[in-house]
Amino acid sequence: MAAFCASRVAVPVVVAKGGVVSKQSSQASAFHGVSVKSHSAKFAGAQQRGALQIRAARVANVEIPNNKRVATALTYVYGIGDTTAAKIIAETGLENKRVREMEEEELTTLRAEVDKYLIEGNLRRFNMMNIKRLKEIQCYRGKRHISGLPLRGQRTKTNARTRKGKTKTVAGKKK
């Protein structure tokens, strides 16, 4: 049960007053071999909690969606794109099926493979340190980062609004 809780996110469902909650069998469960039980205790005038429904699996501390295929779901992790996701699936030898259909062992091998990559917080930190280094050494790219202008030779007389921000009207400038 501890491995089950660590790998899947369980969300309690609140049933409105007077609602009927049915017990879920292991065949009706979205995950093979996992049965989710509910207790149908009636409280006078109170809301009732229903069965726990599993909404998402966790890989690299990110909840990936259950209803998508593994290759697509892995792209929800920062630092994993389509190419890297396909590479991970090829290296693990997993079938590209929906995440909700995966067994616990398959999720464990997937997590072990994803942990080999520079992703999420470590990747963000790596990128920020590179930008900080450019600023400290005062190179051209570092100065452009500081002034909030494009870095790679794009024109700035017109366009470049993404980097420069909203237009600032300059007083006294006429044609």
Side-chain angles (χ1 to χ4, degrees):
M1 187 65 185
F4 172 75
C5 292
S7 65
R8 308 263 188 204
V9 177
V11 179
V13 177
V14 177
V15 178
K17 191 162 99 175
V20 179
V21 178
S22 62
K23 293 187 179 181
Q24 190 176 12
S25 67
S26 60
Q27 267 98 18
S29 177
F31 300 99
H32 304 291
V34 177
S35 64
V36 181
K37 306 257 185 202
S38 67
H39 301 285
S40 58
K42 297 272 182 177
F43 297 104
Q47 285 186 341
Q48 178 181 349
R49 285 185 177 255
L52 287 177
Q53 289 186 349
I54 297 161
R55 300 279 171 95
R58 288 185 75 82
V59 175
N61 293 327
V62 176
E63 292 179 10
I64 60 173
N66 280 334
N67 58 344
K68 298 194 183 300
R69 297 196 177 275
V70 177
T72 307
L74 281 176
T75 61
Y76 280 63
V77 178
Y78 181 79
I80 297 180
D82 292 331
T83 308
T84 310
K87 190 174 169 185
I88 289 171
I89 291 172
E91 288 176 0
T92 56
L94 293 175
E95 186 181 336
N96 191 15
K97 56 187 175 183
R98 299 203 182 271
V99 176
R100 68 173 175 252
E101 298 168 354
M102 293 183 76
E103 299 293 328
E104 194 60 40
E105 299 80 36
E106 294 172 328
L107 277 171
T108 306
T109 58
L110 184 67
R111 278 190 210 99
E113 187 62 35
V114 167
D115 286 341
K116 295 178 184 176
Y117 290 88
L118 187 64
I119 52 170
E120 283 298 319
N122 292 335
L123 181 58
R124 291 178 205 270
R125 193 174 308 110
F126 178 77
N127 290 339
M128 290 304 295
M129 292 302 291
N130 281 339
I131 293 170
K132 184 179 175 187
R133 178 182 53 83
L134 291 172
K135 290 178 181 179
E136 286 175 356
I137 64 174
Q138 291 287 305
C139 67
Y140 178 78
R141 282 175 56 206
K143 289 179 182 176
R144 301 296 276 189
H145 268 293
I146 291 168
S147 58
L149 294 169
L151 312 177
R152 298 177 180 174
Q154 297 94 329
R155 67 180 308 146
T156 57
K157 184 174 181 180
T158 59
N159 301 335
R161 283 288 127 210
T162 303
R163 285 290 292 176
K164 291 169 77 172
K166 199 170 181 180
T167 55
K168 300 166 196 93
T169 307
V170 178
K173 187 160 185 172
K174 296 180 183 174
K175 288 186 177 183

